[in-house]
């Protein structure tokens, strides 16, 4: 390389032949006011009634997560056994259960569920939504160790025994109070943010800058670094911000954007701060690169 000499004419000719390599990308920067739900948290009050209702919801949800272990005896209706014969067989098994015979032993003898019969009909633990609706209703109506009446499902006739219950530990209201309070504050703050969107849109439409929005909500106006249509840092990485920045309304007409609901859950109003169109750099600017 040390032996290569590049003349001014070489440089100039290469630049003219490859000028497109040295064309800059279009760039813009924006002024913006951004709002997050937590900005409205200070306006939220949580009453004792709100807490009590949220705690009741927590308890109900915890109970819904209960899992139950069932064993069953299934008698199918099939090509070899019609509905009447299936009912007679399941009633025979039920009569023997009522007479004190062992459920697991009867499951091995009577159940058509080949996957569970040898294990005494054991279905292991399962939550709600797993079984046929009629089966689930009967199972969740049972007390520990008790056996259902005959239950009909699309699979045939069942006798169900509840053999185990797993419940999530339910904390007291005092133990959950701060967590539930924070959850309510977050939810109510998000509601306040949504309620503010109409006012933000009105101010964005009526104002020639960001000051009216900033003053109304006690926020500061921020300004981004220059970025291209491919995106930039922070807020300029959001596709909605990119689309709005390079839209005709913002880029050409100089208007404020409407409220943009961003991917991180925040909202923002933007306007153009600076614009640098794409251009061919001069030879003096790129001479060293050439």
């Amino acid at each position: 390389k040390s032996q290569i000499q590049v003349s001014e004419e070489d440089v100039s000719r290469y630049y003219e032949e490859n000028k497109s390599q040295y064309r800059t990308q279009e760039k813009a920067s924006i002024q913006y006011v951004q709002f997050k739900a937590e900005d409205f948290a200070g306006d939220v009050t949580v009453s004792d009634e709100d807490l009590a209702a949220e705690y009741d919801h927590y308890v109900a949800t915890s109970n819904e997560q209960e899992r139950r272990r069932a064993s069953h005896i299934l008698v199918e209706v099939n090509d070899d056994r019609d509905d009447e014969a299936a009912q007679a067989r399941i009633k025979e098994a039920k009569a023997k259960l009522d007479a004190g015979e062992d459920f697991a032993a009867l499951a091995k003898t009577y159940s058509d569920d080949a996957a569970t019969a040898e294990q005494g009909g054991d279905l292991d633990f399962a939550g709600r939504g797993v079984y046929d609706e009629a089966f689930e209703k009967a199972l969740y109506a049972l007390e520990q160790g008790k056996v259902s009446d005959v239950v009909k499902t699309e699979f045939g006739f069942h006798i169900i025994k509840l053999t185990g219950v797993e419940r999530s530990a339910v904390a007291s209201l005092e133990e959950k109070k701060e967590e539930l309070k924070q959850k309510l504050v977050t939810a109510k703050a998000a509601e306040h943010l949504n309620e503010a969107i109409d006012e933000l849109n009105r101010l964005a439409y009526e104002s020639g800058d960001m000051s009216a929005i900033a003053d109304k909500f006690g926020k500061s106006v921020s300004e981004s670094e220059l970025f291209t249509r491919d995106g930039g840092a922070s807020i300029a990485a959001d596709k909605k911000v990119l689309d709005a920045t390079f839209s005709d309304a913002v880029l050409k007409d100089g208007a404020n954007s409407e409220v943009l609901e961003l991917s991180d859950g925040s909202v923002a109003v933007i306007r153009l701060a600076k614009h640098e169109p794409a251009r061919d750099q001069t030879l003096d600017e790129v001479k060293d690169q050439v």
Side-chain angles (χ1 to χ4, degrees), residues 1-8 10:
K1 284 185 178 181
S2 63
Q3 297 175 9
I4 302 298
Q5 297 296 320
V6 179
S7 69
E8 292 295 319
D10 292 332

Side-chain angles (χ1 to χ4, degrees), residues 86-118:
Q87 287 192 61
R89 183 171 172 81
I90 198 74
K91 287 178 180 178
E92 181 180 315
K94 184 66 167 63
K96 290 183 177 182
L97 278 171
D98 293 342
E101 293 194 31
D102 180 64
F103 189 99
L106 289 170
K108 291 179 181 180
T109 301
Y110 283 90
S111 184
D112 292 322
D113 183 356
T116 67
E118 287 303 311

Side-chain angles (χ1 to χ4, degrees), residues 54-88:
E54 188 63 24
Y55 179 74
D56 289 343
H57 177 69
Y58 153 72
V59 172
T61 302
S62 297
N63 289 338
E64 286 176 3
Q65 293 172 349
E66 174 187 296
R67 301 199 322 148
R68 292 197 162 202
R69 187 167 197 161
S71 292
H72 78 142
I73 298 169
L74 167 64
V75 175
E76 296 176 337
V77 177
N78 52 39
D79 293 339
D80 299 321
R81 184 190 300 128
D82 63 14
D83 193 269
E84 185 178 348
Q87 287 192 61

Side-chain angles (χ1 to χ4, degrees), residues 30-35 197-210 213 235 239-262 267-273:
I30 55 171
Q31 292 182 331
Y32 63 95
V33 182
Q34 187 174 13
F35 298 86
I197 287 177
D198 285 344
E199 179 68 2
L200 286 170
N201 269 323
R202 183 185 69 79
L203 291 171
Y205 179 76
E206 295 177 355
S207 304
D209 55 28
M210 293 278 116
I213 294 173
I235 192 173
K239 186 178 185 303
K240 288 188 178 179
V241 171
L242 293 177
D243 290 344
T245 300
F246 293 98
S247 68
D248 287 348
V250 174
L251 190 64
K252 294 181 179 180
D253 300 339
N256 293 335
S257 74
E258 63 182 10
V259 174
L260 307 175
E261 298 185 24
L262 307 185
V267 303
V269 177
I270 71 168
R271 69 180 288 108
L272 187 68

Side-chain angles (χ1 to χ4, degrees), residues 8-244:
E8 292 295 319
E9 291 77 14
D10 292 332
V11 171
S12 179
R13 183 171 58 253
Y14 186 89
Y15 168 75
E16 291 298 333
E17 292 173 352
N18 298 277
K19 192 178 289 187
S20 62
Q21 294 185 25
Y22 306 104
R23 186 170 179 80
T24 65
Q25 286 186 280
E26 181 183 22
K27 294 180 182 178
S29 65
I30 55 171
Q31 292 182 331
Y32 63 95
V33 182
Q34 187 174 13
F35 298 86
K36 298 181 179 180
E38 52 259 40
D39 295 332
F40 296 86
D43 301 328
V44 172
T45 56
V46 176
S47 68
D48 290 342
E49 290 77 12
D50 292 334
L51 273 175
E54 188 63 24
Y55 179 74
D56 289 343
H57 177 69
Y58 153 72
V59 172
T61 302
S62 297
N63 289 338
E64 286 176 3
Q65 293 172 349
E66 174 187 296
R67 301 199 322 148
R68 292 197 162 202
R69 187 167 197 161
S71 292
H72 78 142
I73 298 169
L74 167 64
V75 175
E76 296 176 337
V77 177
N78 52 39
D79 293 339
D80 299 321
R81 184 190 300 128
D82 63 14
D83 193 269
E84 185 178 348
Q87 287 192 61
R89 183 171 172 81
I90 198 74
K91 287 178 180 178
E92 181 180 315
K94 184 66 167 63
K96 290 183 177 182
L97 278 171
D98 293 342
E101 293 194 31
D102 180 64
F103 189 99
L106 289 170
K108 291 179 181 180
T109 301
Y110 283 90
S111 184
D112 292 322
D113 183 356
T116 67
E118 287 303 311
Q119 287 75 46
D122 180 36
L123 292 165
D124 209 339
F125 281 100
R128 292 184 182 273
V130 173
Y131 299 122
D132 176 277
E133 184 178 351
F135 189 104
E136 179 179 294
K137 183 178 179 180
L139 174 61
Y140 277 82
L142 290 172
E143 296 179 5
Q144 178 80 32
K146 298 297 184 180
V147 174
S148 72
D149 290 328
V150 173
V151 177
K152 185 177 182 180
T153 73
E154 61 178 300
F155 304 103
F157 296 93
H158 307 256
I159 303 169
I160 306 163
K161 181 176 182 180
L162 176 61
T163 59
V165 178
E166 285 183 346
R167 294 187 177 93
S168 299
V170 178
S172 68
L173 174 58
E174 193 60 34
E175 291 171 318
K176 295 288 289 185
K177 188 173 183 178
E178 287 306 312
E179 179 187 334
L180 296 177
K181 183 177 180 180
Q182 187 55 52
K183 182 179 179 181
L184 285 168
V185 167
T186 299
K188 287 175 178 286
E191 290 175 7
H192 287 323
L193 174 60
N194 286 331
E195 290 165 1
I197 287 177
D198 285 344
E199 179 68 2
L200 286 170
N201 269 323
R202 183 185 69 79
L203 291 171
Y205 179 76
E206 295 177 355
S207 304
D209 55 28
M210 293 278 116
S211 60
I213 294 173
D215 292 346
K216 171 72 175 180
F217 291 94
K219 297 281 287 184
S220 59
V221 179
S222 301
E223 186 167 327
S224 74
E225 299 292 328
L226 286 163
F227 55 90
T228 70
R229 290 177 182 265
D230 293 329
S234 187
I235 192 173
D238 193 286
K239 186 178 185 303
K240 288 188 178 179
V241 171
L242 293 177
D243 290 344

